[in-house]
Amino acid sequence: MREYAYAKLNLTLDVGEKRPDGYHELRSVMTSASLCDVLTVEKAAAITLTCDRTDLPADGRNLAVKAAETFFAETGIAGGCHIHLEKRIPSEAGLGGGSSDAAAVLRALRTLYVPEMPLEELESIGAKVGSDVPYCVRGGTVLCEGRGERLTTLPEMPKCWYVIVKPRETFSTGKMYGAIDEQNAGSVPTTDLLIGELERGDLAEIAANMSNTFLEVVPAESDVFTIRTTLLRCGARNAMMSGSGSAVFGIFKTEQEARRACEEMQGNDRQVFLCESV
Ligand code: C5P
């Protein structure tokens, strides 16, 4: 069966205190974009994975495989699956590509093996695979708290277009959290303001209230800032880095403006994607 793994965008990301377990307390509004990986998952005796990109691991280091292993371990079902992954979402971009693949595998295995399992139970299995996986299991526009496992579904994003730009550089999530701790970095939390604007459905005000603590620890010479400035010049309602980066997304009201921005963004070894709210 086929499952789509959508990219996640962090509209806000307030990183709080480091907890005794080493994870950070988060408050983040996440939303889904139509940029997606495509997975086919079939029942099989063992867990195997093939991928259209040969540079990705096909073992337990791949979150799609880890998700399948965790699903069978947690449910006690003696089963397996073959996963084929068509990769579109860039890796190490803050777009949740690996987490979304993991979530797509969990949704497929639930359909194939235990359709009666409540979604909340699948989300809990997801939390054992990675912090962003419970959100990716649910999808849509969601307030994520705690380590990322406490979910509250919010009103959908008003219809809009996203231009997602991945610079050549990548940032390691672990190192970015480390930099926040070292520099004692913080940002003005805007999550509650943004939720209020989502309830009103005002795209310009939603965009105006985006924020991301990780932006405070991006090196000043990074292409992230050039991309952000260029997106704003092209008419984006606002532009923000997603997750721990390095991808930046701009929010556009019309497809025409977004297409024009895509042309402006080319070059510098960037990857540019045009997609819409889902
Ligand atoms: O849970 P996951 O494996 O996706 O997390 C990757 C790394 O990001 C963790 O090892 C941790 O260093 C950091 N992290 C964190 N606080 C979170 C989520 C992730 O410090 N809420």
Side-chain angles (χ1 to χ4, degrees):
M1 64 169 297
R2 181 170 291 196
E3 276 285 340
Y4 296 95
Y6 294 103
K8 70 99 177 126
L9 299 174
N10 296 88
L11 297 174
T12 66
L13 179 43
D14 307 328
V15 180
E17 291 293 302
K18 188 173 181 176
R19 315 188 313 196
D21 65 3
Y23 285 92
H24 292 72
E25 207 48 47
L26 297 183
R27 289 195 86 221
S28 177
V29 176
M30 303 195 195
T31 196
S32 308
S34 60
L35 171 65
C36 64
D37 293 342
V38 183
L39 292 94
T40 47
V41 182
E42 309 295 345
K43 281 188 180 182
I47 300 169
T48 52
L49 177 128
T50 52
C51 181
D52 64 352
R53 251 180 53 187
T54 49
D55 56 322
L56 295 182
D59 56 21
R61 287 169 299 167
N62 190 309
L63 283 191
V65 172
K66 189 179 171 191
E69 290 170 350
T70 308
F71 177 88
F72 292 115
E74 290 293 316
T75 57
I77 295 168
C81 61
H82 176 67
I83 305 160
H84 182 69
L85 172 56
E86 292 170 44
K87 206 71 201 150
R88 303 285 174 268
I89 306 172
S91 305
E92 296 188 292
L95 299 171
S99 304
S100 197
D101 295 341
V105 167
L106 293 178
R107 285 195 303 267
L109 291 176
R110 173 193 188 224
T111 307
L112 292 172
Y113 283 98
V114 265
E116 67 281 6
M117 180 191 280
L119 198 62
E120 290 72 23
E121 202 177 320
L122 200 65
E123 291 168 2
S124 300
I125 296 175
K128 296 187 163 43
V129 182
S131 300
D132 287 343
V133 181
Y135 162 72
C136 291
V137 168
R138 188 177 298 197
T141 305
V142 177
L143 170 64
C144 305
E145 297 175 291
R147 208 192 102 195
E149 78 289 4
R150 275 201 340 262
L151 306 181
T152 310
T153 295
L154 298 170
E156 282 176 21
M157 269 296 271
K159 168 83 194 145
C160 65
W161 294 83
Y162 301 118
V163 174
I164 301 176
V165 186
K166 160 74 179 45
R168 182 164 65 155
E169 64 203 301
T170 56
F171 305 139
S172 136
T173 302
K175 283 189 186 148
M176 291 295 273
Y177 275 110
I180 286 180
D181 295 339
E182 265 166 42
Q183 299 174 31
N184 210 1
S187 54
V188 178
T190 61
T191 296
D192 290 328
L193 290 170
L194 186 128
I195 291 171
E197 299 304 342
L198 269 172
E199 281 159 2
R200 278 183 278 279
D202 184 330
L203 184 66
E205 289 300 322
I206 293 167
N209 283 293
M210 297 199 299
S211 64
N212 183 346
T213 308
F214 283 110
L215 204 55
E216 308 298 319
V217 297
V218 172
E221 68 279 8
S222 168
D223 195 25
V224 161
F225 296 108
T226 318
I227 291 168
R228 193 166 171 226
T229 310
T230 311
L231 284 167
L232 291 172
R233 185 166 49 71
C234 290
R237 293 302 188 266
N238 198 357
M240 191 45 65
M241 189 170 78
S242 187
S244 59
S246 57
V248 177
F249 64 99
I251 296 189
F252 291 83
K253 184 91 186 130
T254 69
E255 181 179 3
Q256 197 189 12
E257 282 176 312
R259 281 196 186 282
R260 212 174 315 124
C262 282
E263 288 161 23
E264 285 285 317
M265 299 312 307
Q266 302 297 331
N268 272 2
D269 264 335
R270 296 169 179 158
Q271 288 173 273
V272 182
F273 305 91
L274 173 67
C275 58
E276 49 189 318
S277 49
V278 285

